[in-house]
Amino acid sequence: MKRKQPLGGNDESESDSDSSDEDEDITTEVGAIQPASKNPVLQVRMVAHQGCVNRIRAMQQQPQIVATWADTGYVQVWDVGVHIRSLSSGSAETSTGLSSIVRQAPLQIFTGHKEEGFALDWSPLVPGRLVTGDCKSFIYLWEPSEGGRWNVENTPFSGHKSSVEDLQWSPTEASVFASCSIDGTIAIWDVRSRTQAAISVKAHDADVNVISWNRLASCMIASGSDDGIFRIWDLRSFKDDSFIAHFKYHNAPITSIEWSPHEASTVAATSADNQLTIWDLSLERDAEEEAAYQAQLEQKQAEAPEDLPPQLLFVHQGQKNLKELHWHPQIHGLMVATSGDGFNVFRPSNLDNLAAS
């Protein structure tokens, strides 16, 4: 396969010099003609935000509506539809990547939390329904009302003994959501009862930082903790130490975890050890298959390390201080990972085998 030369390359080979006149203009995927030396441009719209953004989530049914947690202790809801449309149109203001900061008022600000937080999730079944959790252990339910506003219940859900770190709505039951906490527990709640959780289990020996509810196999929840361990739980037998899978590969806190929207057995996690890993829980080690593969090689170099989990599909490295990962909802295997030094968008090639199977 012939490798494409990078834009602005200085290769002085004879073949390149013969075709230099033809390569002065390059047709991009969208059909625009650009000079070969022109660098890619990142289009951006910046909106002023009160306080540092701890977490941001878009409503599934109306992606232009987003909620943000701020370090001020406020939760804010925004309509960013005009900015999305501006980026889609490729206006002159955004083409330079240096657009000015837009100042707009949020649709609503909630000041009822007594401290900042990180936990935030929109319901996939009830448009506009939202839960937010803070570092004081309290969880508040937001219900949509007329006029593009929300009613936030005065009485919070209480039961955790420490900070609520993450929240996830059930993909199948509109009134049920899950939470995890620094107190080491995962709790399942019903919005019709605020006095106590329907189920609460001791899930980890360290802070539970993140959880993810499997949308293709709704009985499964994944959790990641501060000691680098992540576990898989089956809600049909949910009790202390009842996890069905346990992985101690990472050597620093798990910072995010998310099930694939296309494969029920595939999950990805990021860690403070600067690694993003992808796992297929349906895989098992096959000694006979390994031996057959080794027999085809002149040198036996196919032996997998004994401490390498057979479920590990892919390791992504190169980013520092990894924060979050997300799967693309339509494109199989495409991922985005954010970190302290930027973000990466990539698609592991070995996930093609899963798509074909």
Side-chain angles (χ1 to χ4, degrees):
M1 178 181 294
K2 184 178 179 180
R3 178 174 295 177
K4 294 182 179 179
Q5 293 293 329
L7 297 181
N10 294 319
D11 193 332
E12 296 295 336
S13 66
E14 182 178 348
S15 60
D16 285 342
S17 62
D18 291 341
S19 60
S20 60
D21 292 338
E22 298 177 4
D23 290 339
E24 287 182 356
D25 291 331
I26 295 177
T27 302
T28 66
E29 292 183 1
V30 295
I33 304 299
Q34 297 183 354
S37 61
K38 188 173 182 179
N39 292 324
V41 173
L42 178 65
Q43 295 187 350
V44 60
R45 291 273 295 194
M46 295 183 290
V47 179
H49 186 273
Q50 184 177 357
C52 295
V53 181
N54 290 350
R55 187 163 289 176
I56 182 169
R57 292 288 184 266
M59 187 194 305
Q60 182 174 323
Q61 299 86 355
Q62 300 179 58
Q64 76 277 12
I65 305 298
V66 300
T68 58
W69 244 122
D71 65 354
T72 57
Y74 300 159
V75 179
Q76 302 167 60
V77 180
W78 306 78
D79 184 347
V80 296
V82 63
H83 310 299
I84 295 175
R85 290 189 293 272
S86 175
L87 291 170
S88 299
S89 65
S91 65
E93 181 182 359
T94 60
S95 63
T96 62
L98 297 173
S99 63
S100 60
I101 297 177
V102 178
R103 298 190 178 277
Q104 72 176 69
L107 296 176
Q108 188 160 332
I109 299 178
F110 177 60
T111 61
H113 286 285
K114 304 305 180 184
E115 193 172 331
E116 68 175 315
F118 297 85
L120 177 71
D121 197 36
W122 293 98
S123 169
L125 302 177
V126 181
R129 179 175 281 179
L130 176 71
V131 281
T132 56
D134 60 37
C135 294
K136 282 288 189 182
S137 79
F138 297 122
I139 302 169
Y140 284 87
L141 174 67
W142 299 49
E143 293 284 13
S145 63
E146 296 181 0
R149 302 282 294 177
W150 283 262
N151 292 322
V152 185
E153 300 288 345
N154 293 326
T155 304
F157 297 85
S158 58
H160 285 297
K161 296 181 176 62
S162 191
S163 173
V164 177
E165 296 294 281
D166 203 4
L167 292 162
Q168 285 273 286
W169 283 99
S170 165
T172 57
E173 298 183 64
S175 63
V176 176
F177 67 90
S179 63
C180 67
S181 170
I182 283 178
D183 64 17
T185 66
I186 298 174
I188 308 297
W189 304 82
D190 190 310
V191 298
R192 293 163 292 190
S193 175
R194 289 172 175 73
T195 56
Q196 63 180 5
I199 308 172
S200 181
V201 302
K202 181 67 175 177
H204 291 266
D205 295 327
D207 304 356
V208 188
N209 296 330
V210 287
I211 52 176
S212 178
W213 205 316
N214 194 324
R215 300 188 183 279
L216 299 180
S218 60
C219 61
M220 299 293 178
I221 285 183
S223 62
S225 66
D226 224 33
D227 55 10
I229 291 173
F230 76 89
R231 290 172 170 172
I232 309 300
W233 305 84
D234 189 333
L235 294 177
R236 294 169 297 186
S237 57
F238 195 43
K239 57 185 178 180
D240 292 359
D241 298 322
S242 65
F243 52 85
I244 60 173
H246 169 102
F247 296 98
K248 178 55 176 160
Y249 171 83
H250 292 284
N251 53 31
I254 303 296
T255 56
S256 70
I257 194 165
E258 188 170 287
W259 291 98
S260 166
H262 302 103
E263 300 292 337
S265 62
T266 302
V267 65
T270 59
S271 169
D273 63 8
N274 301 325
Q275 296 185 85
L276 182 156
T277 53
I278 303 176
W279 306 74
D280 184 355
L281 307 183
S282 67
L283 297 179
E284 295 181 356
R285 194 160 199 167
D286 190 326
E288 293 183 1
E289 183 177 346
E290 289 181 12
Y293 182 67
Q294 291 171 10
Q296 299 175 7
L297 303 178
E298 295 181 2
Q299 297 179 346
K300 293 188 176 182
Q301 298 177 345
E303 295 183 5
E306 291 297 327
D307 60 345
L308 189 66
Q311 295 84 7
L312 182 60
L313 286 180
F314 186 84
V315 178
H316 172 69
Q317 297 177 316
Q319 293 180 268
K320 303 297 182 183
N321 194 18
L322 275 159
K323 295 295 184 181
E324 277 196 282
L325 72 94
H326 292 292
W327 299 86
H328 195 285
Q330 286 94 31
I331 303 175
H332 188 282
L334 186 65
M335 310 184 72
V336 60
T338 62
S339 65
D341 57 358
F343 65 91
N344 285 181
V345 179
F346 60 96
R347 184 174 182 267
S349 60
N350 62 342
L351 294 189
D352 291 341
N353 298 329
L354 295 178
S357 62

